Amino acid sequence: MTVLRPGSTRSPRPRPLAVLVTALLATVSLALPLASAHAAATPGRGSAYLGMGVLAHDGRDGTPATGDVTQTEGVDVSAYQGNVAWSTLWGSGVRWAYTKATEGTYYTNPYFAQQYNGSYNVGMIRGSYHFATPDTTSGATQANYFVDHGGGWSKDGKTLPGTLDIEWNPYGAACYGKTAGQMVSWIADFINTYKARTSRYPVIYTATSWWSQCTGDYGGFAVNNPLWIARYASDPGTLPAGWSFQTMWQYTSSGPTVGDHDKFNGALDRVQALANG
């Protein structure tokens, strides 16, 4: 038997391996919920849609104030809406629609046919849009991908020019890691390629605060490209540089039947004029 001297202590016995493993697993299990929550905060590629960042950055759901100019109601949809009840929307007064066709060069909307053709079949003037990811491939590459997967245009009086959805990056840095000059060049690359492929200038969908931050409030596209502004408020607010008016305005993400509702800045004949080029 070992006799301890006064004031001395016994060295602790080594802990069994099983005890150490149990303690380690307990520590890991406590960390997992935090890691899972962080991962869940970043959506999967392909899940972006028109206006995904607007609620967080540029206003809440809006109710348009009554103005002097006749406005024509529209909607925009993506795979998030699934099969859309187009006859219901038509009955509620919706007369035009945009459907997400593509994102980057890695995603096509699995509901595109039902949404794009369904709106057309009930009598709406329809178009398609591309969610841009300038950090993945060039503007020209994405424009070609868009045209090849539903983003084309035909002069049938019921097809609107394609829309470039350029807004907050849901997968990372707001400006996709680009300087203002690099972003302007990327957008120009997309526009020029789309114009060469379809003979039409695409619509630009954006929000004023993003445009100011990520392009330096560049005004050079306003000459040729119609503006679709995103702002969930009672009016479109201040527009990006160069544009004196918006062609379209996405004003809410909580409208009837389909959440994303829009106003075309003019009567139905103006929607038809844009379709006809």
Side-chain angles (χ1 to χ4, degrees):
M1 181 177 72
T2 302
V3 178
L4 298 178
R5 295 178 181 179
S8 66
T9 58
R10 185 189 299 274
S11 298
R13 289 186 297 177
R15 299 176 71 183
L17 180 60
V19 174
L20 292 173
V21 171
T22 300
L24 178 60
L25 290 174
T27 302
V28 171
S29 67
L30 287 173
L32 282 176
L34 294 175
S36 298
H38 178 74
T42 303
R45 289 277 181 179
S47 62
Y49 53 86
L50 204 73
M52 189 171 187
V54 176
L55 280 173
H57 295 91
D58 207 17
R60 306 301 298 178
D61 287 344
T63 301
T66 302
D68 295 332
V69 178
T70 300
Q71 306 282 300
T72 306
E73 190 77 6
V75 296
D76 57 89
V77 297
S78 65
Y80 180 77
Q81 279 82 24
N83 291 321
V84 175
W86 290 111
S87 58
T88 300
L89 285 165
W90 177 266
S92 71
V94 173
R95 292 296 178 263
W96 60 276
Y98 267 91
T99 295
K100 180 180 179 180
T102 52
E103 177 180 322
T105 53
Y106 50 78
Y107 174 85
T108 57
N109 177 6
Y111 292 93
F112 181 78
Q114 192 276 344
Q115 295 175 347
Y116 189 70
N117 297 327
S119 55
Y120 182 95
N121 290 338
V122 298
M124 292 184 191
I125 301 173
R126 51 77 191 273
S128 58
Y129 75 86
H130 173 79
F131 192 95
T133 56
D135 57 340
T136 60
T137 46
S138 70
T141 300
Q142 292 193 29
N144 281 319
Y145 186 80
F146 179 41
V147 173
D148 292 341
H149 296 86
W153 175 79
S154 58
K155 192 172 183 179
D156 57 7
K158 294 184 69 176
T159 302
L160 294 160
T163 289
L164 171 63
D165 177 3
I166 187 80
E167 57 172 295
W168 292 277
N169 178 9
Y171 312 117
C175 300
Y176 301 86
K178 294 193 177 297
T179 66
Q182 290 170 339
M183 184 63 74
V184 169
S185 294
W186 191 98
I187 294 170
D189 197 26
F190 184 100
I191 289 171
N192 292 337
T193 304
Y194 188 85
K195 173 69 162 55
R197 289 287 307 273
T198 67
S199 79
R200 295 298 306 274
Y201 283 101
V203 174
I204 293 177
Y205 169 98
T206 195
T208 299
S209 56
W210 183 90
W211 191 264
S212 178
Q213 176 187 353
C214 297
T215 74
D217 208 19
Y218 178 75
F221 298 127
V223 174
N224 295 312
N225 298 91
L227 173 67
W228 188 352
I229 193 69
R231 185 170 188 256
Y232 300 164
S234 60
D235 60 69
T238 302
L239 302 179
W243 283 283
S244 58
F245 63 91
Q246 80 284 353
T247 297
M248 292 170 280
W249 166 33
Q250 186 188 50
Y251 68 87
T252 185
S253 65
S254 60
T257 308
V258 166
D260 293 347
H261 276 245
D262 311 85
K263 296 290 186 185
F264 193 97
N265 194 16
L268 183 60
D269 66 331
R270 303 317 303 155
V271 186
Q272 293 166 334
L274 180 60
N276 284 318

